[in-house]
Amino acid sequence: MAESSSSQPRKGKRKSMNKSVKFAHDSSSPLSEVQFQCSICLDMFTDPVSTPCGHNFCKICLTQHWDITEHCHCPLCKEKFPKRPELKINTTLREVVGHFKKKTALHKPEVLCDVCSGQKGETGEKALKSCLDCGLTFCKSHLEAHMFVPILKKHKLISPVQNLEDYICQKHKKPLELFCRDDQTSVCQFCTETDHKTHNTVPIEEESGEKKTQLAETKMKVQQMIQDRLKKIKEIQHSVEIRKRNSVKEITDSAEVFTALICCIEKSQAELLEVMEEKQKAAERQSRDLIKDLEQEITALKRRDTELEQLSHTEDHLHLLQIYSFLFAPPNTKNWSDISIDPHLSVESVRNGLSQLQKNLNENLSNAISEMIREAELRKIQQYAVDVTLDPDTAHRCLILSDDGKQVMHGDTKQDLPKNPERFDKYVSVLGKEGFSAGRFYFEVLVSGKTDWDLGVASEAGNRKGQIKLKPQNGFWTVVLRKGSKYEACAGPGVPLYLRTQPQKVGVFVDYKEGLVSFYDVQARSHIYSFTGQSFTEKLYPYFNPFLNDGGKNSAPLIISPVFKTELTYTLCSLLTDE
C-alpha cells in the first residue's frame, strides 16, 4: 500500500502541482522566477552582478567560478575577457529580485494548525511544523510539547504541508523516511524489515538531493535546447532575408535582360517572374512554418524549464520523487540540426525560362540566351570566391614565388630550401596556404602565355614525393594543358577536352559536400569539365603546377587573379546584331 501511494501521485497532489505551474504563467504576473535566476547556482540572484557581455550572476557564484577557471570568461555565452572585470552589485536588479521574492511569498498557500482548527469558533493559527508521527500540523504554541516532552522530541517534524497523509506509510502508519531504489518508491522503517528487507534503501533526503542534481542537468539541457532553437530562428530569418535580397537582384537582372526582347517574349518574361516570386513565397511560407514550430517548442521547453525550476527548489522531497519521472525527460522535440533554408536563389528558374524561349526564337537568339545562362551560372559560382595565397613550404625548389604569394613560375636552378615533408620534390608544384574541409570555394588563375600547366585541388594526404600520378584515387583533381593546345582532365584514365577557345583565365569551383570539382573558362563564360560524385574526407588545397619553362617558351607565371563578378555585358539585341 505504501508503494502504490508513493509511486503514483495522488489526485490532490497533481492538482496542487498544476496550481503552482499556473501561478508561474499567470497573465497577471508578467515576470517569472526564471528571469531572476543565476545560471550557475540555479537559484534566484543574491547580490547580482553583470558581466561586460550583459549577463547576470550572483556575485559569489561568479567569483568562485573565475577562481577555478583558467581563463576569465562568461559562464553563459563563453565570451573571454582580457582581464578580470571589476564586479559591482547591480542595486536596481537586487531591489527588483527582493520585491519579486516578497511578492511570490504572498501567493504561497498557508497551512493552518490542525489543533486550532478543531476548536470550536477558531479559524486556526498559521502552522509551523507538521509531525509525521502524530499525523497533525501544529502552530507555534501547540508545537511546544514537541520541544520539551522527551518522547515527543523523537518525532519526525517537517515543514507544514496540507496533505500530511501522503507523507505517512498507509500500511504501517509510520513516516516515509526512506526511498527504495529497487522499486523506486518511498518506504517507512518497518517496510525495510518486511517487503523491502533485501532492497537498496537510502534516506529520502539523500535520494531527493541526487534527483535535484539530475534535475539541474536536465534543466541545463532544456535551456540549451531553447538557445539552439532561438539561434535556429535567427538563422532561418537571416537566410530568408539573404534569399529575398538575392531574389530581388535576380529579378532586377532578369528585367534588364527582358527589356531588350521583342514583344513575342514579353509573356515569357511575366511567367518567369511569377515562378520566381512563387518560389520566394514558398520559401517564406516554409520559414514561417518552421519558425512557428520552433516557437511552439520553445514555449513547451520554457514551460518545462519553469516546472523544473520550481521543483529544484522544493523542500517537499516526497512530492519531488513522485513527479520526478514526469518532468525528468525534456518534451518531445524535432532534431533541427539538419533543417535550414537555402538563402541563395537557384538559377534553375532562369535557365528553364530561357530554355523555353529557345524553342520559340531563331538560332541566333538561342545562342544569345545560352550566353546569358552561362553568365548567370558563373556569377552564382563566383560568390564563393576565396583569397588564395601560395604556400612556400610546399613549393618545389625550382619554383619562384612572388612576394605577395600570388604568382608562381619555373626557374632554371634549384634553390637551397629545407627538405620538409610538405614540399614537392619531383613535380614542380605548389599548394595554397589554406585548406578547406567544408562548404564551397572558388578561385581564378591567369594562364595566358603558357604552353603547359596543371590546375585543380589536392587532398591533404596526397603524395608530394617522387613521381605523382594525377588522378582522384591519389588525391588530385586536376585539368592540364600540354604542348599549347592539348587539354585533358586527369580522371584516371585521362579525358581529352575539346575546347572552342583557349582559356586565358581558368576558374576552379569546389562543393565539398556534393563531391564536386568544376573548371570554367572565365572569359568565355563556359564550362570546361567537372569531377562529380567524389567523396572528400580530408582538407582540400588549391593545386598549381606552372610546368617547366621549356627554354623560355613556357616562362610565363601562373597568376592567382582577384575574382570580379561577370556582368551581363551582352543584350539580346547586341548579340543578334553581331550575328
Side-chain angles (χ1 to χ4, degrees):
M1 193 168 186
E3 288 83 344
S4 61
S5 65
S6 56
S7 59
Q8 295 293 332
R10 290 175 177 267
K11 185 175 182 181
K13 265 204 153 179
R14 188 178 293 113
K15 183 177 181 182
S16 64
M17 181 187 73
N18 292 336
K19 281 184 179 179
S20 64
V21 174
K22 180 180 180 183
F23 167 71
H25 296 276
D26 195 334
S27 60
S28 64
S29 178
L31 298 177
S32 68
E33 194 170 321
V34 177
Q35 295 171 277
F36 305 116
Q37 181 187 77
C38 171
S39 59
I40 298 177
C41 66
L42 302 178
D43 205 346
M44 294 185 71
F45 291 126
T46 300
D47 292 336
V49 292
S50 301
T51 58
C53 56
H55 294 114
N56 300 310
F57 306 91
C58 299
K59 183 176 182 180
I60 188 171
C61 292
L62 188 57
T63 301
Q64 292 176 348
H65 176 77
W66 284 346
D67 287 342
I68 61 175
T69 55
E70 182 178 354
H71 301 288
C72 190
H73 65 272
C74 174
L76 199 57
C77 69
K78 307 304 180 185
E79 179 179 341
K80 292 184 178 179
F81 309 122
K83 64 178 182 178
R84 186 161 177 163
E86 181 181 355
L87 300 177
K88 294 184 179 180
I89 295 175
N90 187 330
T91 55
T92 301
L93 180 57
R94 181 172 63 181
E95 291 175 2
V96 172
V97 173
H99 176 73
F100 183 78
K101 286 181 178 179
K102 292 179 181 178
K103 185 177 179 181
T104 52
L106 294 176
H107 290 80
K108 292 183 179 179
E110 189 174 85
V111 181
L112 302 179
C113 175
D114 290 335
V115 180
C116 295
S117 301
Q119 295 176 359
K120 186 177 181 181
E122 295 289 340
T123 58
E125 294 290 333
K126 181 180 177 181
L128 183 62
K129 290 289 183 180
S130 292
C131 178
L132 296 180
D133 292 279
C134 297
L136 293 172
T137 299
F138 301 103
C139 63
K140 183 176 181 181
S141 61
H142 289 116
L143 186 65
E144 288 184 358
H146 283 76
M147 303 293 104
F148 304 107
V149 179
I151 191 171
L152 296 180
K153 288 172 67 175
K154 298 180 180 180
H155 285 192
K156 178 73 172 180
L157 299 178
I158 62 172
S159 299
V161 294
Q162 291 180 321
N163 50 332
L164 189 55
E165 67 276 5
D166 288 344
Y167 296 77
I168 300 173
C169 175
Q170 299 301 307
K171 183 176 182 180
H172 302 108
K173 305 303 179 184
K174 293 294 181 181
L176 294 170
E177 300 176 301
L178 302 168
F179 185 81
C180 177
R181 288 179 170 172
D182 293 338
D183 293 338
Q184 290 294 297
T185 185
S186 302
V187 297
C188 69
Q189 186 64 43
F190 284 102
C191 291
T192 63
E193 300 172 2
T194 54
D195 298 341
H196 300 266
K197 185 175 182 179
T198 60
H199 292 182
N200 180 18
T201 57
V202 295
I204 199 168
E205 292 83 2
E206 178 181 337
E207 185 68 17
S208 176
E210 291 189 12
K211 289 295 189 290
K212 279 190 176 182
T213 301
Q214 295 173 10
L215 283 172
E217 295 174 355
T218 303
K219 176 178 168 59
M220 291 179 63
K221 291 179 182 178
V222 170
Q223 290 175 335
Q224 185 60 50
M225 292 172 72
I226 293 173
Q227 294 302 316
D228 291 344
R229 280 147 183 78
L230 289 172
K231 183 178 179 181
K232 180 61 71 171
I233 287 179
K234 290 182 179 179
E235 177 187 323
I236 291 174
Q237 291 173 332
H238 181 64
S239 298
V240 171
E241 188 60 32
I242 295 176
R243 185 186 178 96
K244 185 181 292 185
R245 290 198 297 267
N246 290 338
S247 177
V248 171
K249 189 176 187 306
E250 290 293 341
I251 291 174
T252 301
D253 292 344
S254 299
E256 292 176 0
V257 173
F258 279 110
T259 54
L261 293 177
I262 57 179
C263 295
C264 66
I265 63 172
E266 290 181 349
K267 180 180 179 181
S268 298
Q269 178 191 18
E271 292 175 350
L272 176 61
L273 294 175
E274 182 179 355
V275 169
M276 293 171 64
E277 291 171 351
E278 181 57 37
K279 286 182 176 292
Q280 176 60 30
K281 290 178 181 179
E284 292 180 357
R285 287 195 298 269
Q286 182 187 8
S287 73
R288 287 196 296 269
D289 292 341
L290 291 174
I291 291 174
K292 182 179 178 181
D293 291 345
L294 281 163
E295 289 175 340
Q296 289 175 348
E297 287 196 12
I298 289 173
T299 299
L301 289 167
K302 284 184 175 179
R303 186 182 302 114
R304 179 57 59 84
D305 183 56
T306 300
E307 293 169 354
L308 290 169
E309 169 60 22
Q310 294 174 346
L311 191 60
S312 66
H313 295 289
T314 184
E315 295 182 0
D316 189 339
H317 308 297
L318 181 61
H319 176 61
L320 181 148
L321 297 175
Q322 290 175 333
I323 66 171
Y324 173 78
S325 59
F326 171 73
L327 293 177
F328 178 68
N332 290 330
T333 56
K334 292 182 182 178
N335 180 3
W336 292 92
S337 58
D338 295 327
I339 298 178
S340 61
I341 292 180
D342 186 1
H344 302 293
L345 186 69
S346 173
V347 299
E348 194 65 28
S349 301
V350 181
R351 180 184 298 172
N352 291 339
L354 296 178
S355 296
Q356 184 62 39
L357 294 180
Q358 288 178 317
K359 297 178 182 179
N360 302 326
L361 303 175
N362 58 40
E363 184 176 354
N364 290 337
L365 183 59
S366 176
N367 292 336
I369 291 171
S370 298
E371 176 74 18
M372 287 185 289
I373 290 176
R374 290 195 296 269
E375 287 195 17
E377 289 178 332
L378 188 56
R379 290 175 67 205
K380 179 181 178 182
I381 291 170
Q382 286 176 325
Q383 68 182 307
Y384 299 105
V386 295
D387 183 20
V388 175
T389 303
L390 300 173
D391 184 0
D393 291 338
T394 65
H396 186 277
R397 290 190 293 167
C398 286
L399 293 181
I400 300 174
L401 275 59
S402 62
D403 292 339
D404 62 0
K406 299 295 184 181
Q407 301 185 29
V408 58
M409 60 184 295
H410 181 262
D412 291 322
T413 59
K414 291 184 178 181
Q415 304 174 71
D416 186 16
L417 298 173
K419 296 181 180 181
N420 54 48
E422 296 86 7
R423 192 179 307 281
F424 288 91
D425 67 350
K426 184 71 175 179
Y427 271 49
V428 287
S429 304
V430 61
L431 300 179
K433 278 187 178 181
E434 184 177 2
F436 303 87
S437 57
R440 303 164 180 169
F441 64 95
Y442 172 82
F443 60 95
E444 294 178 351
V445 182
L446 283 171
V447 296
S448 57
K450 297 192 67 60
T451 60
D452 299 87
W453 50 257
D454 303 351
L455 282 178
V457 294
S459 68
E460 186 171 29
N463 183 29
R464 304 178 193 181
K465 306 299 182 182
Q467 293 291 340
I468 301 174
K469 184 67 174 179
L470 298 179
K471 58 182 179 179
Q473 295 89 329
N474 294 338
F476 294 90
W477 295 264
T478 58
V479 166
V480 304
L481 168 64
R482 295 289 183 266
K483 299 181 180 179
S485 60
K486 295 182 180 180
Y487 294 91
E488 181 178 292
C490 301
V495 178
L497 304 175
Y498 303 98
L499 309 181
R500 289 190 298 176
T501 60
Q502 277 198 323
Q504 301 301 301
K505 183 187 289 187
V506 176
V508 183
F509 172 70
V510 177
D511 188 328
Y512 194 97
K513 182 178 180 181
E514 295 297 325
L516 173 69
V517 180
S518 295
F519 298 82
Y520 294 86
D521 182 337
V522 177
Q523 291 181 324
R525 294 174 294 280
S526 61
H527 174 254
I528 296 176
Y529 184 79
S530 287
F531 294 89
T532 60
Q534 306 299 303
S535 179
F536 302 131
T537 57
E538 302 171 347
K539 278 188 176 182
L540 298 180
Y541 292 83
Y543 172 82
F544 310 85
N545 185 334
F547 224 71
L548 305 178
N549 60 25
D550 193 18
K553 295 179 183 179
N554 188 42
S555 61
L558 291 176
I559 304 175
I560 301 170
S561 173
V563 176
F564 301 101
K565 291 187 178 180
T566 58
E567 301 293 339
L568 294 175
T569 54
Y570 293 92
T571 65
L572 292 176
C573 291
S574 64
L575 287 170
L576 289 171
T577 302
D578 292 340
E579 289 291 322

